[in-house]
Amino acid sequence: MEKLKRFASACLCLFLTLTVSAQVFPEPGEHTTLRADLQTLAKRLLRNKQGSIIAIEPATGKVLCMVSKDKVDDGINRAISMTYSPGSTFKTAQTLTLWSLHALSMTKSYPCHKGFYYNKVHIGCHPHHSPLTLIPAIGQSCNSYFCKAFQEFVDDRTLYPVKSTAIDDWARFMRSLGLGHPLGIDLPEEAAGCIPDAAMLDKLHGAWNGTTIMWVGMGQGEVRTTPLQLCNLAAIIANRGWYYIPHVSNHPDSTYLVKHHALAHADAYPIVIKGMRNAVLSGTCKSINTLMYKICGKTGTAENKGHDHSIFMGFAPMDYPKVAVAVYVENGGFGADLAAPLASLIIEQAINHKLSAKSEYRARGWEKTTVKITKVEQVVNFDDL
Ligand SMILES: [Zn+2]
């Protein structure tokens, strides 16, 4: 009996060890694509915070940096295993998809006065000039623009005779952007995220229409992404339409040498890039603009039960991109306040292989900045629905 107990206990220990060790935190070395200088900087920047920083070389899919930091000691690689609302960074994928499905135009504008009301539903936004057309709507990250444009797309029966075909087509384009499924990185425990389709919306909401799901337009609602997926999305935009599956092995198998082409039309990329450049020049992340190279970026703030999460995704330089970056700081507040300046330092180190004296001073400041962890939304897994 005692022997049996010991065997059972040994099995449990082995199970727990395997479960815990299933999460892998890759480190730089001759076998990985990670750059030691970027890893060191990302670890410094995430000190006293919880979240992740990822950088990918768009031309190859090589992961140059992947750091996950937790304060709650749950051992989760947040870069690939945690799914969150993408918040406003999703407006980049929304632009690519809705433009390709003929649901956006360069001239149409939507009014926004700190948001809008629709049938007693209020969507909030920050103060900005109104009305806005597409490019400044990306730059200013206007919630009214993207919720209304998405609502109209779902409810426009001249575009699609039935709403389920509209949302399924939308989901197909989104998935081709590497969202809503594991990308296939050569690390275990990669999460799928969630891009809702008609079958899922039927199950979750019963009767639904453009109004009841319009939050999806601004990256809330059912949409969930991993930080890796956001970084890969930035790489797809940097490449103007394609990606290699991100990988950390320096000797990847043939799976990682196949180009994946997104379904978005070629003419959608210059538009979203102009919008992301607008965000850096005069929009939500103008504080990170530099004369050294042209950064294209998009901030995001994901609503959360505790303090909001701070998000940034982008790439640089605009014309010959060398690096795509995603930063996700849990409970970090507005994307512009924390994630964007951290990303700008990673971009500088990635391109220049060093930080200027001024940037090093800033890095020291961020290193000392503590972000208190309040409540973090549970990882939502829609795979079973
Ligand atoms: Zn607005």
Side-chain angles (χ1 to χ4, degrees), residues 137-181:
I138 301 169
Q140 296 296 335
S141 197
C142 179
N143 291 338
S144 302
Y145 186 103
F146 281 93
C147 287
K148 283 184 179 170
F150 182 67
Q151 175 194 33
E152 286 177 10
F153 161 73
V154 176
D155 289 340
D156 187 347
R157 294 286 75 82
T158 57
L159 271 177
Y160 290 90
V162 286
K163 65 179 183 184
S164 57
T165 322
I167 206 74
D168 282 349
D169 230 16
W170 173 89
R172 202 164 54 86
F173 273 66
M174 284 296 177
R175 286 179 187 140
S176 79
L177 290 166
L179 308 175
H181 58 86

Side-chain angles (χ1 to χ4, degrees), residues 94-204:
Q94 199 63 287
T95 301
L96 292 172
T97 296
L98 293 183
W99 179 271
S100 303
L101 297 175
H102 312 291
L104 293 177
S105 85
M106 290 299 280
T107 51
K108 187 165 185 181
S109 62
Y110 292 91
C112 176
H113 304 285
K114 293 187 189 173
F116 71 100
Y117 279 94
Y118 189 90
N119 288 349
K120 292 182 188 166
V121 176
H122 181 244
I123 300 269
C125 196
H126 59 99
H128 58 73
H129 174 74
S130 170
L132 293 180
T133 52
L134 180 54
I135 301 291
I138 301 169
Q140 296 296 335
S141 197
C142 179
N143 291 338
S144 302
Y145 186 103
F146 281 93
C147 287
K148 283 184 179 170
F150 182 67
Q151 175 194 33
E152 286 177 10
F153 161 73
V154 176
D155 289 340
D156 187 347
R157 294 286 75 82
T158 57
L159 271 177
Y160 290 90
V162 286
K163 65 179 183 184
S164 57
T165 322
I167 206 74
D168 282 349
D169 230 16
W170 173 89
R172 202 164 54 86
F173 273 66
M174 284 296 177
R175 286 179 187 140
S176 79
L177 290 166
L179 308 175
H181 58 86
L183 285 164
I185 190 169
D186 49 354
L187 289 171
E189 303 292 311
E190 186 192 359
C194 179
I195 292 294
D197 57 13
M200 182 185 291
L201 291 171
D202 287 346
K203 263 185 187 174
L204 286 172

Side-chain angles (χ1 to χ4, degrees), residues 354-368:
K354 62 179 171 56
L355 294 182
S356 67
K358 208 170 166 184
S359 296
E360 176 54 37
Y361 177 77
R362 285 182 184 143
R364 281 186 202 149
W366 290 120
E367 210 175 328
K368 288 180 197 140

